[in-house]
Amino acid sequence: MSAAVTKTTASATETVEQFDAIVIGAGFGGMYMLHRLRGLGLKVRVYEKGDGVGGTWYWNRYPGARCDVESMEYSYSFSDDLQQDWNWPERYGTQPEILRYAEHVADRFDLRRDIQFETHIVSAHFDPAETLWSVTTDKGEVATAPFCVMAVGNLSTPRVPDFKGIEGFKGNWYHTGMWPHEGVDFTGRRVAVIGTGSSGIQMIPIIAGQAEHLHVFQRTANFCLPARNMPLDPEVERSHKAEYPERRRAAYDTPFGIAGYPPPVKSALEATPEERERLYEDKWQEGGSISFLYAYNDLLLNAEANDTAAEFVRAKIRSIVKDPVAAEVLSPNSHPMGTKRLCLDTNYYETYNRDNVTLVDIRNATIEEITETGLLADGRAYEFDDIVFATGFDAMTGAMREMDIQAGQGETLVEKWDAGPRTYLGIMVAGFPNMFMITGPQSPGVKSQMILSIEQHADFIADCVAHMREHGLSRVEPTSSAEVDWVDHVNQTADATLYPLANSWYMGANIPGKPRIFMPYVGGVDRFKRKCDEVVARGYEGFEMT
Ligand code: NA7
């Protein structure tokens, strides 16, 4: 039930809206959470910072923005009518297509009436006596609910590095994660792109095609594989749709949450160099990252095995990029392949053969300052009309750490996570009752087909809430020991792989001062889902319900 009550406090008279559940964020996680909780008969309010749904796909409108998971996978499975009706035009969805899909879902399931847009939540406080979360918006509105779900996204806090002088730059500057809705035309402009992660790699070939001149400032070379994007073959679409329910179920039995790739059984070191070359070449021609990482079973576990794949890609870079110095700079050698997010590209390396593109290696230098007319790097001045920061996000914990989250019984969330996130299943935090997270840190979220993980988490949360209502329970919280065990398991699982060897956003390494701790769970969607199912079958093992 919902109601609005007026409370008179010493300072003001405030209207407090009351709900059964509050969801923060209207991306794919928040939208499905709303749908599920509504289905239980709960009165739900979703708060969303943007003026539309879609989360990541609402904000990241930079040229070339595209999903690196294939369209037929990267979509909701909860409604068979929806997945049968929707048509994806290409192998990989573009940002506008995916946003159009999110908007379609919002309309089709009548979600917007429970979403308050253009509203940023600044604090969430739990009152243990009342078992109520109370959230405050940037407009000073207050709402309460027994349950609060953080559907705030993993890559939703864009980060412009703290460069000296940025406020004095006389040209235009942009961040990929806050792209102007009207688009940007770089025709005839002198442009700088700083950063060569997925966002930079997708946009650089397109900006190069427009700009008079493009300078790319690269701190770390990344591994890119060809996306081989193409129009979706109607026959592929038809056969995929015919098997959709089975394929979606099968996806939960795979490490990345994507079915259709037979698990590799052989070590790269058991194959001859010729065999490896043939297989890597096949995978290179096929395009996509899962298929490539599935070439052998130890590419993410054994450095020597990994280097066979890494060297294959470096040789490809040398064969594509004509200038040997640029090819060398573009060849990644600071981290094992796949330990930073693998990028899927379209004409990325080829772009460095253009006369109007200059690669600036800042591996051993820094950008000293942004000047009025450009920037200063390694003692050299560069001049631009536009600077694009493709410098990434305060990933995985940034959005929650920005909010003032307190549970009235000790530490704030920021204090609790001072040395890195601690969660149970990436879904709840001990000491923060009735607060759930969708694809939180220490879940497989970012290492999986995101929408599948979102659905699994939201289903877990909705089922938990339904269970509590059925049994007259009002409060749920993980035990400290369950949380400690999960954190240990997440760390041990990561330490058995090569992932912690890279300075990645998975490690918090892109944010100065952020604790270096590997944040995603890399045990796989299959193991994670089994663990969650066991937890439920054992009466919500590791959770205390009262
Ligand atoms: P990423 O992957 O975090 O990439 C950010 C890039 O910006 C990366 O190359 C960084 O170099 C570079 N960077 C960050 N700070 C600086 C400074 N201060 N100076 C120079 N270069 C810098 O973000 P994306 O937006 O590309 O992709 C995020 C995810 O979205 C991606 O993984 C996919 O999952 C989709 P670094 O590597 O830190 O040396």
Side-chain angles (χ1 to χ4, degrees):
M1 292 299 295
S2 90
V5 294
T6 303
K7 278 206 309 196
T8 306
T9 64
S11 55
T13 300
E14 65 187 16
T15 302
V16 178
E17 283 198 272
Q18 299 177 326
F19 300 95
D20 296 322
I22 288 169
V23 176
I24 306 179
F28 280 90
M31 291 202 300
Y32 180 54
M33 193 74 256
L34 168 60
H35 178 69
R36 277 301 321 263
L37 292 176
R38 229 192 225 174
L40 299 178
L42 269 65
K43 175 73 186 172
V44 187
R45 162 64 55 83
V46 180
Y47 291 101
E48 166 56 48
K49 191 161 59 171
D51 69 2
V53 296
T56 287
W57 304 104
Y58 171 91
W59 296 102
N60 286 267
R61 300 176 187 229
Y62 61 84
R66 191 184 280 282
C67 190
D68 58 4
V69 172
E70 296 193 33
S71 315
M72 294 305 291
E73 300 289 340
Y74 193 83
S75 53
Y76 285 121
S77 68
F78 70 84
S79 157
D80 196 45
D81 286 348
L82 169 66
Q83 66 185 4
Q84 296 298 337
D85 288 354
W86 189 262
N87 297 109
W88 294 101
E90 292 176 273
R91 181 177 178 187
Y92 298 95
T94 59
Q95 175 273 328
E97 283 156 15
I98 300 172
L99 185 58
R100 200 164 60 80
Y101 172 72
E103 286 168 349
H104 169 80
V105 172
D107 293 338
R108 186 171 182 136
F109 297 94
D110 190 19
L111 299 179
R112 291 177 210 270
R113 67 183 153 91
D114 289 325
I115 306 175
Q116 181 173 322
F117 292 103
E118 295 183 89
T119 305
H120 185 50
I121 297 299
V122 291
S123 71
H125 292 178
F126 182 69
D127 178 349
E130 301 283 332
T131 316
L132 271 189
W133 279 96
S134 165
V135 304
T136 305
T137 73
D138 54 351
K139 300 173 183 79
E141 301 151 317
V142 180
T144 63
F147 296 103
C148 181
V149 183
M150 299 289 173
V152 293
N154 284 281
L155 294 160
S156 49
T157 309
R159 184 183 162 266
V160 177
D162 201 8
F163 290 125
K164 193 173 124 202
I166 191 165
E167 62 295 333
F169 180 56
K170 292 226 156 66
N172 306 311
W173 67 263
Y174 310 93
H175 186 285
T176 53
M178 302 181 282
W179 203 257
H181 288 199
E182 63 280 11
V184 181
D185 182 4
F186 293 104
T187 305
R189 317 261 307 165
R190 296 166 308 158
V191 184
V193 170
I194 301 173
T196 51
S198 288
S199 305
I201 279 159
Q202 289 185 336
M203 76 196 305
I204 283 165
I206 295 174
I207 297 181
Q210 297 175 357
E212 179 196 305
H213 200 95
L214 170 66
H215 279 79
V216 177
F217 290 83
Q218 178 193 271
R219 185 164 72 180
T220 305
N222 258 326
F223 288 95
C224 302
L225 298 169
R228 309 256 180 244
N229 187 44
M230 59 183 95
L232 195 58
D233 178 346
E235 183 44 35
V236 169
E237 184 182 6
R238 195 204 54 73
S239 73
H240 205 111
K241 284 187 170 174
E243 297 167 359
Y244 241 147
E246 297 81 1
R247 290 184 78 110
R248 301 287 200 184
R249 264 193 300 278
Y252 280 117
D253 292 326
T254 68
F256 298 110
I258 298 176
Y261 296 94
V265 287
K266 191 168 171 175
S267 158
L269 304 177
E270 286 164 9
T272 63
E274 295 73 28
E275 272 176 73
R276 279 198 300 261
E277 183 71 17
R278 262 199 311 278
L279 188 55
Y280 291 147
E281 182 62 35
D282 286 350
K283 304 282 185 186
W284 179 271
Q285 293 307 331
E286 183 184 336
S289 54
I290 303 270
S291 165
F292 202 100
L293 287 173
Y294 261 32
Y296 295 106
N297 64 10
D298 52 358
L299 292 184
L300 292 168
L301 303 175
N302 178 311
E304 201 187 332
N306 185 286
D307 204 49
T308 63
E311 189 43 39
F312 174 86
V313 175
R314 288 191 285 258
K316 283 288 183 195
I317 297 169
R318 289 191 290 268
S319 74
I320 299 169
V321 179
K322 293 190 181 125
D323 171 3
V325 177
E328 190 48 42
V329 172
L330 287 164
S331 296
N333 54 23
S334 63
H335 59 280
M337 180 171 170
T339 55
K340 282 184 165 222
R341 179 101 179 178
L342 275 180
C343 300
L344 293 192
D345 81 282
T346 301
N347 294 329
Y348 177 65
Y349 293 121
E350 290 81 350
T351 298
Y352 292 95
N353 293 332
R354 296 176 64 108
D355 292 337
N356 71 333
V357 176
T358 306
L359 176 65
V360 185
D361 177 13
I362 51 166
R363 211 173 347 178
N364 301 312
T366 51
I367 293 175
E368 288 140 42
E369 66 172 292
I370 309 290
T371 62
E372 283 189 5
T373 52
L375 62 79
L376 201 64
D378 209 10
R380 210 189 129 185
Y382 297 86
E383 298 213 332
F384 309 112
D385 303 310
D386 303 307
I387 301 179
V388 179
F389 295 101
T391 44
F393 301 84
D394 185 350
M396 306 197 68
T397 54
M400 286 183 68
R401 285 167 56 96
E402 259 187 2
M403 256 181 262
D404 168 23
I405 302 176
Q406 306 184 18
Q409 44 188 19
E411 299 163 307
T412 64
L413 190 76
V414 169
E415 285 162 354
K416 164 140 189 170
W417 284 2
D418 186 43
R422 285 185 288 140
T423 75
Y424 182 41
L425 303 173
I427 292 179
M428 286 198 94
V429 181
F432 293 79
N434 291 14
M435 181 187 85
F436 297 98
M437 296 174 294
I438 298 184
T439 66
Q442 298 171 336
S443 83
V446 295
K447 293 304 302 165
S448 70
Q449 200 277 80
M450 212 50 205
I451 298 185
L452 167 126
S453 282
I454 281 169
E455 288 187 316
Q456 190 245 331
H457 286 204
D459 285 341
F460 184 96
I461 296 165
D463 293 348
C464 177
V465 170
H467 171 90
M468 290 173 68
R469 288 161 66 94
E470 220 170 276
H471 293 84
L473 301 160
S474 60
R475 178 178 161 132
V476 58
E477 169 179 6
T479 64
S480 298
S481 65
E483 186 176 88
V484 167
D485 290 348
W486 183 250
V487 173
D488 285 349
H489 174 62
V490 168
N491 291 338
Q492 282 162 15
T493 308
D495 288 344
T497 70
L498 301 174
Y499 281 108
L501 298 181
N503 285 328
S504 61
W505 56 257
Y506 300 140
M507 286 289 278
N510 61 328
I511 304 292
K514 193 167 174 174
R516 299 272 173 120
I517 184 155
F518 193 79
M519 293 185 282
Y521 176 57
V522 286
V525 164
D526 42 357
R527 274 166 85 189
F528 183 78
K529 167 89 163 54
R530 275 201 303 277
K531 167 76 182 173
C532 290
D533 292 348
E534 276 165 28
V535 163
V536 175
R538 293 183 186 148
Y540 288 91
E541 186 179 51
F543 290 99
E544 219 166 56
M545 292 183 178
T546 51

